[in-house]
Amino acid sequence: EEEEEEHKARLKQLAFLSGYKTVIVSPGTFTKEDLDYLKKRKTTVYAYINVGALEQYNPDYKKFRQFALAPYENWEDEEWGDVSQTAWQDYITEDLAKKLAKSGFDGFFLDNFDVYDRFPTEDCYRGLTKILQNLQKYKKVILLNGGDRFVQRIIEEKEKSGKAEKSKENAQKSR
């Protein structure tokens, strides 16, 4: 009886979500069958991944709580996380993302890239960059949330390297 009620509630939730072209969901509650249901109805489904903060309600929180940098203001059950830690990077890219990619999510919605706004260190920048680079192998769409300062720095560095490359080409041409 109770199981049947849960099933009906789940179908109702999926029917509701299928009314949208794109949804971002907390992946732990979605099965491959759920994703197939949404895909058949032409709904693009992104898996939410909290990259820049540690969630105390996450079952794996205890493994990573030593990487907490500071309380996350207005989110009492979250703390800013040290994205420069290899163990955290691997958890995001080799554990979480790998499972999500295999499950059939269309892409990743990466939250709290504004950890770089709060902690604008070289280590933080490199950590976020490494996470993005390591996610490329899954060939999924990646959406960033809260990373204006981080993205601005990437753009500036690309422009600098582009200008340096042009300058090098011009120097070779003039020889």
Side-chain angles (χ1 to χ4, degrees):
E1 176 82 18
E2 190 178 314
E3 200 172 291
E4 190 176 319
E5 286 300 314
E6 282 180 26
H7 183 69
K8 283 181 185 176
R10 182 151 206 85
L11 288 176
K12 190 174 178 181
Q13 179 190 36
L14 289 171
F16 173 76
L17 290 174
S18 70
Y20 292 91
K21 285 169 62 173
T22 304
V23 294
I24 298 163
V25 300
S26 183
T29 60
F30 280 77
T31 65
K32 181 135 179 56
E33 293 75 28
D34 294 340
L35 292 172
D36 290 344
Y37 175 95
L38 292 170
K39 286 182 175 197
K40 282 179 191 155
R41 286 153 184 83
K42 308 282 188 252
T43 299
T44 302
V45 186
Y46 290 95
Y48 175 90
I49 302 175
N50 196 340
V51 172
L54 307 172
E55 302 159 327
Q56 294 169 3
Y57 50 86
N58 180 328
D60 292 321
Y61 172 74
K62 285 184 176 139
K63 285 187 213 169
F64 302 106
R65 69 175 167 207
Q66 75 270 20
F67 301 150
L69 296 173
Y72 193 130
E73 42 298 325
N74 302 318
W75 296 91
E76 61 273 350
D77 54 0
E78 291 188 29
E79 299 156 293
W80 291 108
D82 185 352
V83 296
S84 72
Q85 296 293 324
T86 303
W88 180 250
Q89 295 166 5
D90 289 347
Y91 171 70
I92 297 292
T93 64
E94 307 308 315
D95 190 14
L96 275 182
K98 186 182 213 172
K99 286 179 199 160
L100 299 173
K102 282 183 181 174
S103 296
F105 284 92
D106 295 299
F108 308 122
F109 179 89
L110 307 180
D111 198 14
N112 290 314
F113 261 64
D114 49 349
V115 66
Y116 182 67
D117 292 7
R118 188 82 164 63
F119 302 94
T121 65
E122 196 59 30
D123 284 347
C124 184
Y125 178 77
R126 284 197 192 116
L128 291 172
T129 302
K130 187 171 180 209
I131 288 168
L132 283 177
Q133 288 169 339
N134 289 346
L135 289 173
Q136 298 300 312
K137 67 181 157 219
Y138 300 112
K139 298 188 178 0
K140 300 284 184 183
V141 175
I142 296 173
L143 304 176
L144 297 185
N145 189 44
D148 295 354
R149 189 172 186 174
F150 173 76
V151 171
Q152 186 61 44
R153 179 164 171 195
I154 287 178
I155 291 168
E156 288 168 3
E157 290 191 4
K158 289 273 186 217
E159 287 173 351
K160 276 185 207 168
S161 69
K163 286 178 184 171
E165 198 59 40
K166 278 254 188 272
S167 174
K168 192 173 161 185
E169 285 173 21
N170 289 339
Q172 288 175 343
K173 285 179 187 174
S174 64
R175 287 185 183 165

